[in-house]
Amino acid sequence: MRITDKDAINHTEAARIAGTVLVAVLRGGQLSGRQKRKIDRIIAGAEEREAALAKDRKNN
């Protein structure tokens, strides 16, 4: 679940991740399993989006 500079996260996805982390901080500072899975889904969606864009760029 590590996010690096090389991840394909746009500003909307970053805001969703920040909101999830903020809720965790307000509730005691620990991410629940559900919150971790939510962040993982956001990252997976971003990776799929970027892969589709790269494939489209390659085909054009």
Side-chain angles (χ1 to χ4, degrees), residues 24-52:
V25 168
L26 293 174
R27 291 185 179 167
Q30 293 291 325
L31 286 171
S32 68
R34 186 176 184 184
Q35 290 168 322
K36 290 177 185 178
R37 287 189 301 275
K38 181 177 181 179
I39 292 171
D40 288 340
R41 284 192 305 271
I42 293 169
I43 293 169
E47 289 171 348
E48 290 173 7
R49 177 181 43 80
E50 285 298 314

